[in-house]
Amino acid sequence: MGGNQDAHHEDFQLKDTNPLLGEQWPKGAAGPARPAVGGGIAGWLGMDKPSSTYDLVEQMFFLYVRVVKAKDLPPNPLTGAAMDPYVEVKLGNYKGTTKHYDRRANPEWDQVFAFSKSRVQSNALEVYLKDRDMIGRDDYVGRVVFDLGEVPTRVPPDSPLAPQWYRLEERRGDVGGYKIRGELMLAVWIGTQADEAFPEAWHSDAATVRGEGVASVRSKAYVSPKLWYLRVNVIEAQDVQPQSRGRAPEVFVKAQVGNQILKTSVVPAATLNPRWNEDLVFVVAEPFEEQLVMTVEDRVSPRKDDLLGRVQLPLTLFEKRLDHRPFVQSRWFDLEKFGIATAIEGETRRELRFASRVHLRACLEGAYHVMDESTMYISDTRPTARQLWKPPVGVLEVGILSAAGLQPMKNRDGRGSTDAYCVAKYGQKWVRTRTMIGTSSPTWNEQYTWEVFDPSTVITIGVFDNCHLGNSGNGNNNNGGGGGGAPPARDARIGKIRIRLSTLETDRVYTHAYPLILLTPSGVKKMGELRLAVRFTCLSMMNMVHLYTQPLLPRMHYLHPFTVTQLDALRYQAMGIVAARLGRAEPPLRREVVEYMLDVESHMWSMRRSKANFFRAMSLFSGAAAGARWFADVCLWKNVATTALVHVLLLILIWYPELILPTVFLYMFFIGLWNYRRRPRHPPHMDTKMSWAEAVHPDELDEEFDTFPTSRQQDVVYMRYDRLRSVAGRIQTVVGDMATQGERLQSLLSWRDPRATCVFVFFCLIAAVVLYVTPFRVVALVAGLFLLRHPRFRSKLPAVPSNFFRRLPSRADSML
């Protein structure tokens, strides 16, 4: 059993890998000189590998075919009208087609096809131009054939290969002869994944994908929307007229931006000019598509509010503030008139009333960092305003190599299948690799780069199963296989990893296989391994060291901070805006992907997380507890030699007190040197044991995956509520004990217990007199010898100071 547990635990560990990266190739295989265009089949088959700017990934070779346009196409022989042309590119058993045009004699496509070297099945590339037939039997117009041995090799930053016109030839007769059927402009070359055409190309690896799913398999880079805090200071309103005469209005202001709604407090004053002077803060994104809608309402009853006035303001109306010092001018805004609809003689007319005004001071705050991710895993700390950015201190390069052992996520044709892609998020830049269709060991070999402005940040990389592949995406997502069904609507999570940049050594390439760990309702599960190559390069060591002396967040977070409740609400609003904006890209980065990468559920209640955090807190005190146990053993003379050495050290430090601080720092210096040989050699990764995921109870897992509000039956909710009350009761007791000790400390001089305070005051007087007339060395020596006294001089009863402190009163007596 122990061996199985060790093997199971080892399965979740980080593993070293030795990929053949670009910079590690032998000189004979990838020399610094670039091969001339026309390298031919030798370069295609790997006999003479060209150099590449991608040095953190294994180079992959592709045959690229750019279909640009056609001209002088013959008419349809049956109808005499222009044909409906499209192009078919064929290499072995792989075939890609362009879109077709209706009745176009000179069509333009400008579409690129990429065929992977690892799946080459032919030495000839065939390009056909066909006429689409409504019956289904497309007419063959002509073709162009290329010998792969004559295809040139191109490596960026070489200029793109210029396309050429090729004559479309149709063979006729049994004896021979060819007929020219127009011309087709093509460019054919051999390149790597560093080619500019790679992201937009149709890939043979995804040849089964059809329709709208084609866009979702391509690699893309995304940029998060630029987020601002909109601060609206509601000062006052003027001439507020209630709809019901004879009563004082209870007025409040409601502000709305998009789906964000905030309200001021209710002013229950008998006045038509109420004042609030309250700040309402929203998250908005550029370009500013929403508007600020301010309404003044009257609280008639707890369930009814009367609208008294309304104003709609574009966000571009407000100035952008880059610091707290510029004073923002307030402005009056007229509220839209409101009225009462009355019916007179069958006709409806509107009785207009007097319009009131509202006094606002609003601005867009550019000196804050708008947090759209958990502060524990923050990847960017820059303020919104670009003018306040500091120069970068480093460059982060990540090579997403491959994955291995991925679990089947859906059923396709009766077999388990996974269509995996990776998403990496750091700062404002998101990247998405191409989707590898139907394989449990996908190979991406894509490299991405980010500027680093603060090393105390985290990059997050997630792996997902693509469930939006059009006709090829049939099957259902069941997190590890299952029966057929309707196409899933959400991309499934496979796992994610986090890497804190400050844990990486500069200019070192880390090549590891990270376990992809997913917590499911049935328990923790390893979904596979993700292989990465990571390098953090420092641009300025002085600037990086200087950053460690600076606050983590911009100055405004400390000069005019938000409350914890405000920050939490604003973070959820920011996450929603980022998910909505990225979901409008093409292909969309879907909401479930964005929320998983941003840890939208990290603050939800979980018994498992509570246990994990409790044991994390306990481990913090393990060193102090070990030191206390060691000192107790010294005081109890369990090791006479150690106690004697402590006595000698005590005498030295007392007779030479100037050596105390140097000794402490020298001790920490030697401890640091001693720990250097045991320093961590690998980046941190997901730890199932520390997360308390291996021994979690099934019911606690079910509670963690429950919806909010709950969807479970009443008896289950009752049981969980009682358990939560039990845990909260213990926490309440601990917090109460801590508060009691602090209140007892305060009561020493508060005269809450006059006798105890009197005793303590006279003790302080006597101690002051003794310390004035007695040398400090004598006092320290007596105190040290008293602490180190032999056990025969000790009593098992509590000490006098402890007894005195425990008798002090606290405010717990006033608790109901």
Side-chain angles (χ1 to χ4, degrees):
M1 178 66 72
N4 293 336
Q5 290 180 350
D6 293 340
H8 179 70
H9 186 265
E10 180 68 24
D11 199 35
F12 293 104
Q13 297 304 303
L14 200 67
K15 299 178 182 178
D16 289 319
T17 59
N18 294 304
L20 188 63
L21 304 183
E23 64 179 3
Q24 297 174 343
W25 279 347
K27 292 183 179 180
R34 301 183 188 277
V37 174
I41 197 68
W44 171 254
L45 296 179
M47 297 171 59
D48 185 18
K49 298 177 180 177
S51 61
S52 170
T53 56
Y54 277 26
D55 61 344
L56 290 184
V57 293
E58 299 179 7
Q59 287 189 333
M60 301 174 64
F61 288 87
F62 297 87
L63 174 66
Y64 290 99
V65 181
R66 180 183 293 276
V67 181
V68 184
K69 56 185 175 180
K71 69 178 181 179
D72 301 333
L73 299 181
N76 190 299
L78 298 179
T79 63
M83 64 175 61
D84 302 334
Y86 70 94
V87 174
E88 179 181 283
V89 182
K90 184 178 181 182
L91 180 64
N93 292 334
Y94 289 97
K95 180 174 61 177
T97 58
T98 67
K99 61 181 179 180
H100 84 281
Y101 288 102
D102 294 333
R103 299 183 180 182
R104 187 80 62 87
N106 299 304
E108 295 184 8
W109 294 281
D110 196 19
Q111 188 170 343
V112 181
F113 299 85
F115 298 89
S116 175
K117 164 193 170 182
S118 60
R119 303 192 180 187
V120 169
Q121 299 173 338
S122 174
N123 287 328
L125 171 70
E126 299 173 288
V127 181
Y128 296 90
L129 193 141
K130 296 184 177 182
D131 181 14
R132 182 170 181 176
D133 190 351
M134 298 300 295
I135 303 177
R137 298 181 59 185
D138 297 345
D139 294 331
Y140 165 71
V141 178
R143 71 169 184 170
V144 181
V145 181
F146 296 89
D147 184 358
L148 294 187
E150 302 298 328
V151 174
T153 301
R154 175 189 174 260
V155 178
D158 292 347
S159 299
L161 192 65
Q164 302 180 33
W165 286 105
Y166 294 89
R167 292 180 177 178
L168 292 168
E169 299 179 347
E170 178 191 17
R171 185 167 182 173
R172 57 179 181 176
D174 296 333
V175 179
Y178 291 89
K179 181 180 179 181
I180 306 302
R181 303 296 302 273
E183 292 183 90
L184 185 62
M185 179 177 281
L186 301 171
V188 182
W189 73 96
I190 294 170
T192 66
Q193 70 268 42
D195 202 291
E196 295 89 345
F198 177 81
E200 296 293 337
W202 171 95
H203 284 270
S204 58
D205 296 335
T208 58
V209 181
R210 298 286 186 271
E212 298 179 355
V214 174
S216 68
V217 301
R218 294 171 177 164
S219 57
K220 291 290 181 182
Y222 305 82
V223 178
S224 292
K226 191 175 184 180
L227 301 177
W228 296 76
Y229 284 138
L230 172 63
R231 186 189 298 271
V232 181
N233 179 236
V234 184
I235 303 175
E236 59 182 331
Q238 191 178 66
D239 299 327
V240 177
Q241 297 284 344
Q243 293 190 10
S244 301
R245 300 292 185 181
R247 60 176 292 271
E250 298 183 8
V251 184
F252 66 93
V253 175
K254 181 173 72 174
Q256 181 172 359
V257 178
N259 62 347
Q260 307 174 65
I261 299 176
L262 295 177
K263 299 178 182 180
T264 65
S265 59
V266 177
V267 178
T271 177
L272 301 182
N273 302 314
R275 292 185 60 87
W276 295 277
N277 197 23
E278 296 183 18
D279 278 349
L280 306 178
V281 184
F282 303 88
V283 178
V284 294
E286 281 189 304
F288 301 121
E289 300 175 351
E290 295 86 5
Q291 291 186 326
L292 173 64
V293 181
M294 305 289 296
T295 57
V296 179
E297 301 184 17
D298 180 15
R299 178 66 50 83
V300 178
S301 66
R303 295 185 179 182
K304 181 182 178 182
D305 299 324
D306 284 345
L307 177 63
L308 303 182
R310 180 177 182 273
V311 63
Q312 191 167 330
L313 304 172
L315 299 183
T316 54
L317 188 65
F318 309 123
E319 64 176 290
K320 297 177 179 178
R321 189 167 67 162
L322 306 183
D323 202 351
H324 66 286
R325 286 169 290 188
F327 183 77
V328 180
Q329 294 294 332
S330 61
R331 299 175 60 180
W332 287 94
F333 296 96
D334 292 332
L335 300 178
E336 293 179 4
K337 296 180 179 181
F338 58 93
I340 303 175
T342 58
I344 300 178
E345 297 179 357
E347 297 181 358
T348 303
R349 67 181 180 88
R350 182 169 297 274
E351 179 187 349
L352 297 179
R353 293 188 175 182
F354 185 75
S356 59
R357 300 192 301 170
V358 63
H359 195 190
L360 303 178
R361 181 183 290 113
C363 66
L364 294 164
E365 299 281 8
Y368 288 94
H369 169 70
V370 182
M371 281 178 275
D372 59 346
E373 53 196 342
S374 176
T375 53
M376 297 180 291
Y377 317 120
I378 196 168
S379 66
D380 190 11
T381 59
R382 293 172 293 172
T384 299
R386 186 177 290 271
Q387 299 92 316
L388 302 178
W389 291 4
K390 296 180 180 179
V393 298
V395 175
L396 173 65
E397 299 168 277
V398 178
I400 303 176
L401 304 178
S402 61
L406 297 184
Q407 297 295 319
M409 304 298 294
K410 63 170 73 74
N411 273 354
R412 181 182 292 129
D413 299 330
R415 296 180 303 172
S417 177
T418 302
D419 307 317
Y421 67 92
C422 289
V423 175
K425 196 267 184 190
Y426 182 76
Q428 295 182 347
K429 179 180 176 181
W430 299 65
V431 297
R432 168 180 177 158
T433 67
R434 69 190 191 280
T435 301
M436 303 300 294
I437 307 298
T439 175
S440 61
S441 300
T443 302
W444 294 287
N445 280 315
E446 298 180 25
Q447 183 172 337
Y448 299 96
T449 304
W450 288 268
E451 287 184 325
V452 176
F453 294 86
D454 194 324
S456 300
T457 46
V458 177
I459 181 173
T460 304
I461 304 173
V463 184
F464 301 87
D465 177 51
N466 196 332
C467 297
H468 298 83
L469 298 180
N471 296 334
S472 71
N474 55 346
N476 71 313
N477 169 23
N478 57 5
N479 246 352
R490 297 170 61 89
D491 288 353
R493 307 170 179 178
I494 297 180
K496 68 180 174 184
I497 63 173
R498 304 187 192 97
I499 302 175
R500 185 171 292 274
L501 271 57
S502 59
T503 63
L504 303 177
E505 299 178 11
T506 56
D507 300 318
R508 174 185 170 185
V509 178
Y510 290 84
T511 55
H512 295 102
Y514 294 81
L516 295 171
I517 303 171
L518 189 66
L519 191 66
T520 66
S522 59
V524 65
K525 185 177 183 181
K526 182 179 179 182
M527 306 298 292
E529 293 179 346
L530 178 62
R531 294 169 182 171
L532 302 175
V534 182
R535 177 172 58 207
F536 175 46
T537 304
C538 177
L539 299 179
S540 174
M541 183 59 68
M542 292 295 297
N543 290 342
M544 185 174 296
V545 174
H546 177 67
L547 275 178
Y548 280 87
T549 66
Q550 302 300 308
L552 180 64
L553 296 174
R555 297 173 65 249
M556 282 289 285
H557 285 271
Y558 306 97
L559 299 178
H560 294 276
F562 294 111
T563 64
V564 176
T565 305
Q566 269 184 311
L567 277 178
D568 198 44
L570 292 172
R571 185 175 72 89
Y572 275 98
Q573 294 295 340
M575 285 190 295
I577 293 175
V578 171
R581 291 292 179 93
L582 294 180
R584 291 161 53 182
E586 183 60 37
L589 204 57
R590 303 186 183 276
R591 175 173 290 272
E592 62 269 19
V593 174
V594 176
E595 290 181 348
Y596 184 56
M597 296 291 290
L598 295 180
D599 292 283
V600 68
E601 301 172 351
S602 60
H603 295 292
M604 295 294 291
W605 160 259
S606 167
M607 183 70 73
R608 175 189 60 84
R609 287 197 192 98
S610 299
K611 289 182 179 179
N613 289 331
F614 171 77
F615 286 106
R616 284 175 58 198
M618 293 299 296
S619 65
L620 293 177
F621 300 102
S622 60
R629 288 194 298 268
W630 175 83
F631 187 73
D633 292 343
V634 169
C635 294
L636 294 176
W637 293 67
K638 289 190 175 181
N639 190 321
V640 179
T642 302
T643 305
L645 289 176
V646 171
H647 278 81
V648 173
L649 180 63
L650 174 66
L651 293 174
I652 294 175
L653 294 181
I654 288 176
W655 250 255
Y656 302 96
E658 63 275 8
L659 297 180
I660 295 178
L661 285 179
T663 302
V664 171
F665 286 110
L666 189 63
Y667 172 76
M668 289 189 292
F669 169 76
F670 282 113
I671 290 297
L673 289 183
W674 179 260
N675 290 338
Y676 178 77
R677 62 187 182 89
R678 295 183 296 178
R679 68 189 186 279
R681 302 300 177 94
H682 305 307
H685 63 287
M686 302 295 186
D687 192 332
T688 57
K689 185 176 182 180
M690 189 193 72
S691 303
W692 211 253
E694 295 179 348
V696 62
H697 192 274
D699 183 70
E700 295 175 1
L701 272 179
D702 183 72
E703 180 183 22
E704 185 169 347
F705 283 91
D706 190 8
T707 58
F708 184 83
T710 182
S711 59
R712 299 297 185 263
Q713 298 179 354
Q714 287 189 358
D715 53 347
V716 177
V717 176
Y718 291 158
M719 182 270 293
R720 291 175 180 172
Y721 176 63
D722 291 339
R723 181 177 61 193
L724 180 60
R725 290 176 63 190
S726 175
V727 174
R730 291 195 291 268
I731 297 175
Q732 166 186 292
T733 302
V734 173
V735 174
D737 289 342
M738 295 173 60
T740 297
Q741 305 307 321
E743 291 166 355
R744 285 174 176 170
L745 192 63
Q746 290 180 339
S747 66
L748 284 172
L749 297 173
S750 66
W751 295 89
R752 181 69 180 272
D753 184 342
R755 286 163 294 278
T757 302
C758 183
V759 170
F760 183 72
V761 167
F762 278 102
F763 170 77
C764 291
L765 176 63
I766 296 172
V769 173
V770 172
L771 291 177
Y772 271 122
V773 300
T774 307
F776 176 76
R777 294 178 179 177
V778 176
V779 176
L781 180 61
V782 172
L785 293 177
F786 178 78
L787 289 175
L788 298 176
R789 67 190 184 278
H790 198 272
R792 70 177 60 184
F793 301 111
R794 296 177 181 272
S795 173
K796 294 184 179 180
L797 297 178
V800 172
S802 176
N803 295 334
F804 181 80
F805 186 77
R806 290 179 180 178
R807 291 176 177 274
L808 293 174
S810 70
R811 302 181 65 184
D813 305 333
S814 303
M815 292 286 293
L816 292 176

